[in-house]
Amino acid sequence: MKIGYNGSVIEAGNAVISVYDHGFLYGIGLFETFRTYEGGQPFLLERHLARMMEGCRELGIHCPQLADQAAIRQWLAMLMEANELAEAYVRLTVTAGIGELGLPPADYEQPNMVMMVKKLPAVNEQLYANGKELRRLAAVRNSPEGAVRRKSLHYMNNIIAKRELVASGAAPGSEGLMLTREGWLAEGIVSNLFFVREGRLYTPSIDTGILPGITRERVMELAREIGYSVEEGHYTWQELLQADELWLTNSIQELVPVTRLSEESGAVHVVGHGTAGEVTLRLLHAYRKETSRRQQ
């Protein structure tokens, strides 16, 4: 397997990150996951890079390479070719780089950039018709380290939530839902949350501590373009149980319908008619239409 390392493509076994890298010592670093579509083109790359650059500025990581979108596209193309992939699941990571043992007195001037790719999961169209289960978790969505949650290397909260989901007895392929300490709906382990009541779309507010997802943002824009009202706010589990439709978003799976809500007690609640709803499918179609148009 080949990986991208600071602009080059090398064997994964030859990539070395120092034990003094502050990404390793203190979790100072960021990552983005995204995917390509027909033609090997990364979708919404400019937004992913903008989010990463904003995070780097907050963390004091000087990484001007992120501003060169053309070079990153070329680097990705080289990496995909080296791994014989026509399309790919992509993870781009920026670590702070080598520093002294102890908290840094100044900005990081020599970060490391790592790009990894793998084959995209097979599309299961039954999933987009019949939906998946969303399990309410006891794990609480922690507060972000700064004003807004970054897609940082501090990922323990998500790992704890994933371990709880696996041990919960939820159906294979289920997603876990975290709430805030105050009891507000937050987000999935690897997804943002939307629900519909009486034709109006709702999604938890960024101030609940959720990641401001790239797909989440674009879905809200598409919904408003189509003519739906979209509200961001604070919502409860009981409000979710009353939803007519429900779906999750992330950059790899797009919009995934949720047709069953489950609780720690084992209680299962069917969402709507138990299949993907009209609004969900309409927005999924609009999203996929855009991914096709962007590649032309």
Side-chain angles (χ1 to χ4, degrees):
M1 175 66 72
K2 305 286 199 309
I3 70 162
Y5 182 73
N6 291 330
S8 63
V9 174
I10 64 175
E11 288 288 344
N14 295 332
V16 176
I17 298 291
S18 169
V19 295
Y20 284 98
D21 190 303
H22 278 205
F24 169 73
L25 287 177
Y26 303 112
I28 305 301
L30 301 158
F31 72 98
E32 291 287 330
T33 53
F34 49 91
R35 59 166 292 177
T36 68
Y37 284 87
E38 187 174 352
Q41 296 302 310
F43 186 56
L44 299 178
L45 177 63
E46 66 283 356
R47 299 194 189 199
H48 286 282
L49 295 179
R51 183 169 68 177
M52 183 172 265
M53 285 188 285
E54 185 179 336
C56 282
R57 283 191 291 270
E58 183 177 16
L59 293 173
I61 300 174
H62 185 61
C63 192
Q65 301 95 314
L66 291 172
D68 192 345
Q69 186 182 145
I72 289 176
R73 287 179 180 273
Q74 183 178 18
W75 186 27
L76 173 58
M78 290 167 53
L79 182 59
M80 289 173 61
E81 182 178 3
N83 285 289
E84 300 181 346
L85 292 172
E87 305 299 339
Y89 173 119
V90 187
R91 172 171 163 147
L92 177 63
T93 304
V94 173
T95 74
I98 294 174
E100 297 294 328
L101 190 60
L103 301 185
D107 288 352
Y108 298 100
E109 298 293 340
Q110 293 184 304
N112 288 303
M113 292 181 65
V114 178
M115 186 183 288
M116 299 176 177
V117 294
K118 68 178 182 179
K119 186 177 180 180
L120 282 166
V123 176
N124 177 6
E125 290 300 342
Q126 285 299 310
L127 172 65
Y128 294 95
N130 298 326
K132 66 163 56 182
E133 178 181 328
L134 181 64
R135 170 62 65 99
R136 177 177 175 171
L137 301 176
V140 173
R141 174 79 276 188
N142 64 353
S143 299
E145 290 86 357
V148 177
R149 184 171 303 279
R150 303 295 179 192
K151 206 171 177 75
S152 77
L153 303 186
H154 298 270
Y155 226 57
M156 186 183 295
N157 193 207
N158 299 64
I159 297 296
I160 289 171
K162 180 66 173 181
R163 289 178 61 82
E164 180 186 343
L165 176 65
V166 171
S168 72
S174 296
E175 170 66 309
L177 176 68
M178 291 179 281
L179 278 62
T180 69
R181 194 167 300 280
E182 298 77 18
W184 302 121
L185 300 176
E187 61 186 343
I189 300 170
V190 292
S191 61
N192 286 126
L193 171 70
F194 285 84
F195 65 96
V196 176
R197 284 196 66 191
E198 298 179 353
R200 185 178 180 87
L201 276 63
Y202 300 89
T203 189
S205 171
I206 296 299
D207 66 16
T208 60
I210 66 171
L211 181 75
I214 300 300
T215 307
R216 172 187 182 272
E217 176 185 52
R218 187 61 194 128
V219 167
M220 286 195 294
E221 292 169 352
L222 287 170
R224 289 178 174 129
E225 289 169 15
I226 291 172
Y228 292 111
S229 295
V230 183
E231 177 185 296
E232 299 176 73
H234 295 173
Y235 312 108
T236 65
W237 175 254
Q238 288 303 314
E239 288 177 281
L240 197 63
L241 293 178
Q242 298 168 13
D244 300 319
E245 297 183 42
L246 175 60
W247 69 84
L248 306 168
T249 60
N250 70 34
S251 295
I252 306 302
Q253 292 189 303
E254 307 167 333
L255 291 78
V256 179
V258 170
T259 52
R260 300 172 305 283
L261 293 168
S262 63
E263 305 186 53
E264 294 174 77
S265 65
V268 177
H269 310 270
V270 175
V271 179
H273 298 293
T275 57
E278 178 183 346
V279 179
T280 309
L281 293 176
R282 189 175 182 191
L283 284 170
L284 177 61
H285 175 75
Y287 188 87
R288 287 181 169 175
K289 185 177 180 181
E290 182 173 66
T291 62
S292 299
R293 185 169 62 247
R294 288 284 187 97
Q295 313 316 319
Q296 294 175 353

